[in-house]
Amino acid sequence: MKLRHILLATAAVASFAGSAQAENVLKWGANRDIGSLDPYSYGDSFTINVLNHVYEGLVRYSKDLKIEPALAESWQILDDQITWRFKLRDGVKFHNGNPFTAADVVASLTRVSDETSPLKGNLPAYVSSKAVDDLTVDITLNGTYPLLLNDLTNIHIFDEEWMTENDALLPTDIGAGTEGFATYNANGTGPFIVESRQPDAKTVFVVNPDWWDEPQHNLDRIELTPVNSAATRVAALLSGEISFTNDAPVQDLPRLAAAPNVEVLEGVDLRTVLIGFPFRETLTMGEPNPFVDKSVREALHKAIDLDLIHQKIMRGKSRIAGATVAPPIPGYVEALDDLPGYDPEASKALLAEAGVPEGLEFEFNCLSDGLVNEEQFCQAIASMWSRIGLSPKLDVAPRAVQSPKRTNGKTDVYTLGWATLPLLDSYSPLLQIFHSQNGNAGVFNWGGWSYPELDALIDAAGSELDLETRLSLQTEALQMVKDETIMIPLHQQPMAWAITEGVAEMPLFPDAKPRLWFARMGEGS
């Protein structure tokens, strides 16, 4: 390592020193920063998860990932079958002391469902809401819809008075570069309060002493520091400069596990890593787009050595995927998970038959701060595609740079990780990714595909209250996604967290979301 790199790494680790002291401080070293203090600003599960420590929804997932009351104490479906009535929790206060009321719920739902909201797709059936009284809200949907509670776990409630005072009634948008007061300020009801925010440096949360719930944690303070470098993150763990990371590099797990002051927590994420294609007429470089031909997409799928990526890049920690959702997700069946097989010669034949020119150039858009070992597996896949006569131009950059390209159709082939959040149901990717772009549907359909028969199956599932019938429709839709090779599934990525000896409890959740209101520090930490 060059001296300059050593000095930079040393400086990065040293920057953790001097943190304000408190009785129980959890120092969280993440692989990237949150995008904003506004949870509605982008459909990024990491940012939304972090801000769930500050903001809360009407309902939430429990420790065993079952839906339970949060800001709403109870709910019922009224006789028209499309209106849900929520009874709100009395006595809850926002961090600024304002009381929580039905007006806050209405304003928050209006904000997140606004046409300019990046998260409008997270409330696909929402039509309107109204305050019946200070502690009762009616939410009206566009038809019968079985998954409203799942949706609401991810819809954070803002203070209507605070938004009005600060001109924050409309959402911000990371992808569009739209900022506002809520980008850099927060005011929720949750277990932690934002004390300070330095983008790309440190965000500090302190305990909310007036939280309505009974705390199961014993934290006084959380310091979230983005540590993009895996090597620096490992060094910080080993030295004790950070006490927790939700992204322990898979290549360093043996070293971390052998350290006397570190414990590694391992599992397989629900997140499926996918490769998407453009369905527009031309590529970004102006060439006719061959990816509208299913056989070309199949050719690229067969050219990927999934086992090599699993063994060499993911260190055997991932789960190779043939389906677009993980086995625990409702709607998955084993028949969806068969693989096409690695066959570069068959890929070449398919490309030749489709008339794809030798050396076809296209952009391959990947994130440097996204999925586990994303840059490495993107490099490997680009090399594999080169071997079948294509010329992918690998474009690797941070999420902040790549997101506008993806959402505005300014790139070609791209990666996407989807963990079915917040629904924990296969309806999530079907509606958000694979449905045609239409209102709240297809928000993450960056390729611009449209299959009317697939849309009809998804729409039918979205209004079906009988669970068995609904899941059958969703399985049929997932089969169509697979048959058409709309996207290429690679794997469910490995999930590895690490804690230092000062952390006594850190539950590992299969949706890869740290819920630090369940974390506990040991005595003297």
Side-chain angles (χ1 to χ4, degrees):
M1 182 184 289
K2 294 181 180 179
L3 178 59
R4 170 176 166 78
H5 292 166
I6 294 173
L7 292 174
L8 287 174
T10 303
V13 174
S15 70
F16 293 108
S19 300
Q21 297 299 307
E23 185 179 353
N24 284 325
V25 182
L26 184 74
K27 298 181 180 181
W28 181 359
N31 74 333
R32 61 185 175 92
D33 197 10
I34 57 175
S36 169
L37 286 179
D38 185 350
Y40 295 174
S41 60
Y42 188 64
D44 167 27
S45 58
F46 177 70
T47 296
I48 294 171
N49 167 231
V50 171
L51 295 177
N52 204 40
H53 294 77
V54 178
Y55 290 99
E56 297 176 292
L58 295 180
V59 295
R60 66 186 181 189
Y61 285 113
S62 66
K63 200 171 186 178
D64 59 355
L65 298 187
K66 304 296 183 184
I67 292 174
E68 66 178 12
L71 294 180
E73 290 186 317
S74 63
W75 49 87
Q76 65 180 119
I77 303 177
L78 302 185
D79 290 341
D80 63 4
Q81 295 292 298
I82 62 171
T83 302
W84 293 55
R85 175 162 292 175
F86 291 82
K87 293 293 185 181
L88 306 182
R89 193 175 299 278
D90 193 11
V92 176
K93 291 187 181 299
F94 286 93
H95 296 158
N96 66 355
N98 286 347
F100 163 65
T101 70
D104 303 312
V105 177
V106 173
S108 299
L109 294 175
T110 300
R111 186 176 191 267
V112 74
S113 61
D114 187 87
E115 184 57 35
T116 63
S117 169
L119 259 66
K120 62 181 180 292
N122 282 14
L123 275 180
Y126 177 81
V127 173
S128 64
S129 58
K130 69 175 182 178
V132 178
D133 57 43
D134 280 353
L135 293 175
T136 308
V137 171
D138 282 356
I139 298 177
T140 300
L141 308 180
N142 59 13
T144 55
Y145 178 65
L147 292 163
L148 178 63
L149 295 179
N150 304 60
D151 289 337
L152 290 174
T153 61
N154 231 29
I155 304 301
H156 299 327
I157 303 302
F158 281 70
D159 174 9
E160 188 267 347
E161 182 180 341
W162 180 83
M163 288 195 294
T164 301
E165 289 175 350
N166 296 294
D167 193 25
L169 287 168
L170 291 177
T172 60
D173 185 342
I174 291 175
T178 305
E179 295 187 342
F181 187 78
T183 304
Y184 301 103
N185 300 272
N187 178 39
T189 59
F192 296 93
I193 300 168
V194 176
E195 181 185 78
S196 62
R197 165 85 172 141
Q198 296 173 275
D200 299 318
K202 182 181 290 186
T203 304
V204 177
F205 308 87
V206 294
V207 67
N208 176 10
D210 299 318
W211 190 35
W212 59 268
D213 202 1
E214 185 70 29
Q216 296 186 46
H217 71 89
N218 65 353
L219 305 181
D220 297 305
R221 182 182 181 92
I222 301 168
E223 297 177 356
L224 174 67
T225 305
V227 191
N228 303 99
S229 164
T232 305
R233 206 158 53 248
V234 169
L237 271 169
L238 293 173
S239 68
E241 299 297 335
I242 63 174
S243 50
F244 165 61
T245 183
N246 63 314
D247 187 9
V250 293
Q251 62 270 24
D252 291 306
L253 293 184
R255 180 185 175 197
L256 289 171
N261 65 323
V262 175
E263 179 183 355
V264 174
L265 311 172
E266 290 189 73
V268 177
D269 198 340
L270 293 176
R271 186 177 307 278
T272 302
V273 176
L274 306 161
I275 292 177
F277 298 95
F279 277 50
R280 59 180 183 272
E281 291 185 4
T282 59
L283 299 175
T284 54
M285 299 177 190
E287 297 290 330
N289 178 14
F291 300 118
V292 296
D293 185 335
K294 181 177 76 169
S295 67
V296 175
R297 302 193 297 273
E298 290 175 345
L300 269 69
H301 198 177
K302 288 179 177 293
I304 299 174
D305 189 339
L306 294 171
D307 188 63
L308 181 67
I309 292 172
H310 169 69
Q311 294 293 345
K312 299 297 185 182
I313 298 174
M314 311 310 290
R315 303 302 200 275
K317 303 288 187 179
S318 61
R319 178 189 176 276
I320 297 173
T324 50
V325 295
I329 300 300
Y332 168 94
V333 295
E334 189 175 354
L336 294 168
D337 228 352
D338 64 301
L339 302 171
Y342 174 56
D343 193 343
E345 293 306 313
S347 296
K348 292 176 183 177
L350 285 168
L351 293 177
E353 185 177 345
V356 177
E358 182 79 16
L360 174 76
E361 294 187 354
F362 59 91
E363 288 189 3
F364 183 21
N365 182 291
C366 297
L367 304 180
S368 61
D369 57 354
L371 301 160
V372 175
N373 287 356
E374 180 168 350
E375 186 168 355
Q376 294 95 316
F377 72 68
C378 282
Q379 290 171 343
I381 291 171
S383 176
M384 294 170 189
W385 286 341
S386 296
R387 291 177 204 146
I388 61 170
L390 301 174
S391 297
K393 302 303 179 185
L394 189 57
D395 175 20
V396 182
R399 184 180 301 268
V401 174
Q402 303 294 57
S403 294
K405 297 179 188 177
R406 295 173 173 212
T407 57
N408 295 316
K410 301 299 184 183
T411 193
D412 297 324
V413 181
Y414 57 89
T415 56
L416 178 66
W418 200 265
T420 73
L421 304 176
L423 292 184
L424 298 180
D425 190 281
S426 58
Y427 185 69
S428 167
L430 287 171
L431 180 73
Q432 298 267 32
I433 303 174
F434 297 111
H435 196 287
S436 303
Q437 294 176 338
N438 180 19
N440 289 342
V443 174
F444 288 83
N445 179 348
W446 296 331
W449 46 76
S450 181
Y451 294 83
E453 186 179 350
L454 177 60
D455 292 349
L457 285 171
I458 298 170
D459 293 343
S463 61
E464 179 55 62
L465 296 179
D466 179 76
L467 178 61
E468 185 175 342
T469 302
R470 176 173 69 82
L471 294 183
S472 176
L473 289 166
Q474 289 171 202
T475 298
E476 186 177 351
L478 290 171
Q479 185 66 59
M480 185 177 297
V481 167
K482 182 180 181 66
D483 291 344
E484 291 295 323
T485 317
I486 299 176
M487 300 185 82
I488 295 175
L490 299 178
H491 53 251
Q492 278 88 45
Q493 66 181 10
M495 178 172 53
W497 299 359
I499 55 176
T500 60
E501 57 188 352
V503 182
E505 294 181 32
M506 181 62 70
L508 182 71
F509 294 93
D511 62 357
K513 285 188 170 186
R515 293 171 171 85
L516 301 181
W517 53 90
F518 293 121
R520 296 186 66 83
M521 304 297 288
E523 292 185 9
S525 61

